[in-house]
Amino acid sequence: MRKSHPVRRAVLAGAATVSGIVLLLSLKPASDPGAASAAGGAPPAAAQSPQGGRGAGSGTVTGDAATTQYGPVQVRLTVSGGKITGAEAVQAPKGGQSDRVTADAVPKLNQAAVAAGTADIDAVSGATYTSAGYRKSLQSALDKVAAASAGQDSGDGAGQGAGDGQGQGSGDGGQGQGSGDGGEGQAGAGQGTQVLTGDVARTQYGAVQVRVTVSGGKITGAETLQAPKGGQSDRVTADAVPKLNQAVVAAGTADIDAVSGATYTSAGYKQSLQSALDRAGG
C-alpha cells in the first residue's frame, strides 16, 4: 500500500498539470488583442460612418434647360449649408459667334450667381439671351433646393400646425398668407417666402413674363423671364427691363410707371406682374 502512494501522487500531479494547461488555453482568447478589437473596436467605426446630418442642404442641383433663341442654357449649382458655393453652365449656346459670347458671358454669370446667392443677377452686356436663359435655369435649380429644404422642415415638424390659427398643415410647406399651395414654404417663418411667376402677357412686339420673389409680404426681387426680342426690341428690352424690375421692388405693387420708349413692354410687364401678385393673395 505504501508503494502505491508515490504513484498516486504522480498521477494526481499529472492530472492537475493537464487540467491547468487546458484551463490556460481556454482563457487565452479572452486576452487576445484581436478578439478585444473585434468586440470593442467595430461599433465605434460603424457609428462614425453615417454622414446624414452633414448632407442636409448640401449637394449638387441641376436646373431645367432653358431654351433661348441661340440654344439651350442649363445651370448646375453646388450648394453647401443652403448657400451657393459653385455654379457652372452644363449647356450654353455654341457655334459661330455664340462661342465667343458664351466664353465671355458664362464665367461672369457663374461668379454673379455665387456672389448673389439668388437668380437676381444682372445680364452680361452683349449676351442678353444667354443671360436670360441662365437666370431661368438658375431659378429652377434654386426652386429645387428650396423645395427640398421645405420638405425637410415639414418632416421635422417645424411647419405651422393646423391648431395655430393659420389654417396650414405642417406637411405642405404652406405660406404664412394661407395660400399653402405655391412657392417655397418657409416653415415657422410667419408669412414666409414665395417665388411667383406671372402669366405671359402678349404685346405688339412679343411676350412678356415676370417672376417675383415675395418675402414677409413684400416684393424682394423681380426678373423678366420673357421680353420682346429681335431688331430694335433688343435695345428697348435691355434698357427697360432693369428699370421695371427696380421699380416694382421699390413700389411693392404693379402700380409702376411705364419706361419712356417702351410703352408696350411696360404694359405687358405690369400685366404679368399683377397676375403674379394675385397668386400671392394681393
Side-chain angles (χ1 to χ4, degrees), residues 132-232:
Y134 186 100
R135 289 187 294 183
K136 185 175 181 181
S137 181
L138 172 58
Q139 185 61 59
S140 72
L142 291 173
D143 290 345
K144 293 176 184 179
V145 173
S149 297
Q152 289 179 353
D153 288 342
S154 63
D156 292 337
Q160 295 188 15
D164 65 357
Q166 299 299 324
Q168 299 119 313
S170 63
D172 64 355
Q175 312 304 322
Q177 296 289 348
S179 59
D181 60 354
E184 291 73 25
Q186 299 294 326
Q191 293 183 334
T193 298
Q194 297 173 278
V195 179
L196 305 166
T197 302
D199 297 331
V200 176
R202 305 293 177 183
T203 76
Q204 181 175 338
Y205 296 101
V208 180
Q209 187 176 29
V210 180
R211 174 185 287 151
V212 295
T213 301
V214 179
S215 181
K218 297 181 179 180
I219 299 174
T220 58
E223 62 176 318
T224 306
L225 304 182
Q226 296 187 58
K229 56 187 178 181
Q232 184 70 7

Side-chain angles (χ1 to χ4, degrees), residues 239-268:
D239 175 66
V241 166
K243 294 179 181 178
L244 291 167
N245 291 339
Q246 292 176 0
V248 67
V249 173
T253 70
D255 186 16
I256 57 177
D257 294 333
V259 174
S260 177
T263 304
Y264 294 105
T265 298
S266 298

Side-chain angles (χ1 to χ4, degrees), residues 18-282:
V18 171
S19 298
I21 293 172
V22 171
L23 181 60
L24 288 173
L25 291 174
S26 66
L27 292 175
K28 184 178 180 181
S31 61
D32 190 334
S37 175
Q48 293 173 3
S49 59
Q51 299 293 331
R54 297 177 60 185
S58 302
T60 302
V61 182
T62 303
D64 298 331
T67 302
T68 76
Q69 182 175 338
Y70 296 101
V73 180
Q74 188 172 27
V75 180
R76 176 183 293 141
L77 298 178
T78 300
V79 180
S80 180
K83 295 182 179 180
I84 299 174
T85 58
E88 61 177 320
V90 180
Q91 295 186 65
K94 56 186 178 180
Q97 184 71 6
S98 293
D99 290 340
R100 183 189 63 78
V101 174
T102 293
D104 175 66
V106 167
K108 295 178 181 179
L109 292 167
N110 291 339
Q111 292 176 0
V114 174
T118 71
D120 187 17
I121 58 177
D122 293 333
V124 174
S125 177
T128 305
Y129 297 107
T130 298
S131 298
Y134 186 100
R135 289 187 294 183
K136 185 175 181 181
S137 181
L138 172 58
Q139 185 61 59
S140 72
L142 291 173
D143 290 345
K144 293 176 184 179
V145 173
S149 297
Q152 289 179 353
D153 288 342
S154 63
D156 292 337
Q160 295 188 15
D164 65 357
Q166 299 299 324
Q168 299 119 313
S170 63
D172 64 355
Q175 312 304 322
Q177 296 289 348
S179 59
D181 60 354
E184 291 73 25
Q186 299 294 326
Q191 293 183 334
T193 298
Q194 297 173 278
V195 179
L196 305 166
T197 302
D199 297 331
V200 176
R202 305 293 177 183
T203 76
Q204 181 175 338
Y205 296 101
V208 180
Q209 187 176 29
V210 180
R211 174 185 287 151
V212 295
T213 301
V214 179
S215 181
K218 297 181 179 180
I219 299 174
T220 58
E223 62 176 318
T224 306
L225 304 182
Q226 296 187 58
K229 56 187 178 181
Q232 184 70 7
S233 293
D234 289 341
R235 184 189 62 79
V236 174
T237 293
D239 175 66
V241 166
K243 294 179 181 178
L244 291 167
N245 291 339
Q246 292 176 0
V248 67
V249 173
T253 70
D255 186 16
I256 57 177
D257 294 333
V259 174
S260 177
T263 304
Y264 294 105
T265 298
S266 298
Y269 186 101
K270 292 194 287 184
Q271 181 180 339
S272 181
L273 171 60
Q274 186 60 61
S275 69
L277 294 177
D278 289 344
R279 291 187 170 93

